[in-house]
Amino acid sequence: MASSKEIEIKFRVADKRALTGSLRAAKFRVVTPRTHEMNMLYDLPGQALRKRGELLRLRKYGEQWVLTHKSKGKAGRHKMRVELETKVEDGPKMDAVLHALGFRPSFRYEKFRAEWSDGRGHVVVDETPIGNFGEIEGPARWIDQTAKQLGIRPDDYLTDTYAGLFFAWKRRTRSRAQEMTFRAIRPQSPASSRRSSRDTRAVLTTDD
């Protein structure tokens, strides 16, 4: 099980092709090409983890499953939090274990992610149902240097989670979507909105 201090920022990506060109110009290499990712967050009754600022996530990235716990973060210019992460052989069985322990799915979100690195840190490019975002993760000073190379100003830094970004998007757009998946975020009828809500509470499956 890997434990580390995560230091990162997010930023909005207006032009994915231009960002890719900037990454290549800055000598970044593709570590993982564009890969589908599905994430399920879990919580206890009464949202005990959320109230403590913690996160428990089961992620399917390509064919790989990963279970992650994140402690309460410190959000200044960058977001910092301790992360515990381990690979999981069988995602649906881990979901069953979490249910047996009293955890329930609280939020599902989906994206396509490409990972880049220069050997010192990572930049990821995420295509999500609410727009494209990037993340820069590494030492704080390196984050600022890399952001400057990529034309990202400190005013562009985001330290919110994807759940936070989704619910801000919902308030802005008045969307009925209950989860951040490509299936849910479409023009919806009341019936499709109810189906989306049921999907959020469902077990994370391998074919979503």
Side-chain angles (χ1 to χ4, degrees), residues 9 11 13 29 34 43 52 57 90-91 95 108 111 135 138 145 164 166 174 182 184 190:
I9 60 103
F11 59 95
V13 177
R29 295 182 300 104
R34 183 178 182 269
D43 211 331
R52 296 201 301 263
R57 179 185 69 207
D90 190 321
D95 173 82
R108 186 165 71 157
K111 47 194 163 81
E135 290 184 6
Q145 292 170 346
F166 169 75
R174 299 182 181 179
F182 293 101

Side-chain angles (χ1 to χ4, degrees), residues 94-200:
M94 177 55 72
D95 173 82
V97 169
L98 292 170
H99 274 78
L101 293 172
F103 290 93
R104 294 294 179 267
S106 60
F107 180 64
R108 186 165 71 157
Y109 63 103
E110 178 183 22
K111 47 194 163 81
F112 288 89
R113 166 168 284 189
E115 298 181 80
W116 298 70
S117 178
D118 67 349
R120 297 180 59 199
H122 287 82
V123 176
V124 301
V125 182
D126 289 339
E127 301 168 48
T128 87
I130 61 170
N132 296 333
F133 295 86
E135 290 184 6
I136 306 176
E137 182 179 346
R141 184 175 296 179
W142 177 87
I143 288 176
D144 292 334
Q145 292 170 346
T146 300
K148 187 175 181 180
Q149 282 183 297
L150 299 178
I152 301 158
R153 301 171 302 174
D155 288 349
D156 299 323
Y157 289 10
L158 302 171
T159 57
D160 210 343
T161 63
Y162 272 117
L165 292 171
F166 169 75
F167 286 108
W169 174 86
K170 266 179 63 80
R171 289 191 295 271
R172 188 170 65 251
T173 63
R174 299 182 181 179
S175 170
R176 295 178 178 178
Q178 298 300 308
E179 60 181 15
M180 199 178 89
T181 63
F182 293 101
R183 181 181 296 176
I185 299 180
R186 294 174 179 172
Q188 294 184 335
S189 66
S192 65
S193 180
R194 287 193 294 273
R195 286 195 299 272
S196 171
S197 181
R198 288 196 298 270
D199 286 345
T200 302

Side-chain angles (χ1 to χ4, degrees), residues 69-95:
H69 172 266
K70 296 188 181 187
S71 67
K72 183 176 181 179
K74 295 181 180 179
R77 185 172 185 168
H78 313 103
K79 187 165 189 175
M80 294 182 286
R81 63 200 312 186
V82 174
E83 178 182 86
L84 291 166
E85 192 165 84
T86 188
K87 292 181 181 178
V88 173
E89 183 175 340
D90 190 321
K93 282 187 179 178
M94 177 55 72
D95 173 82

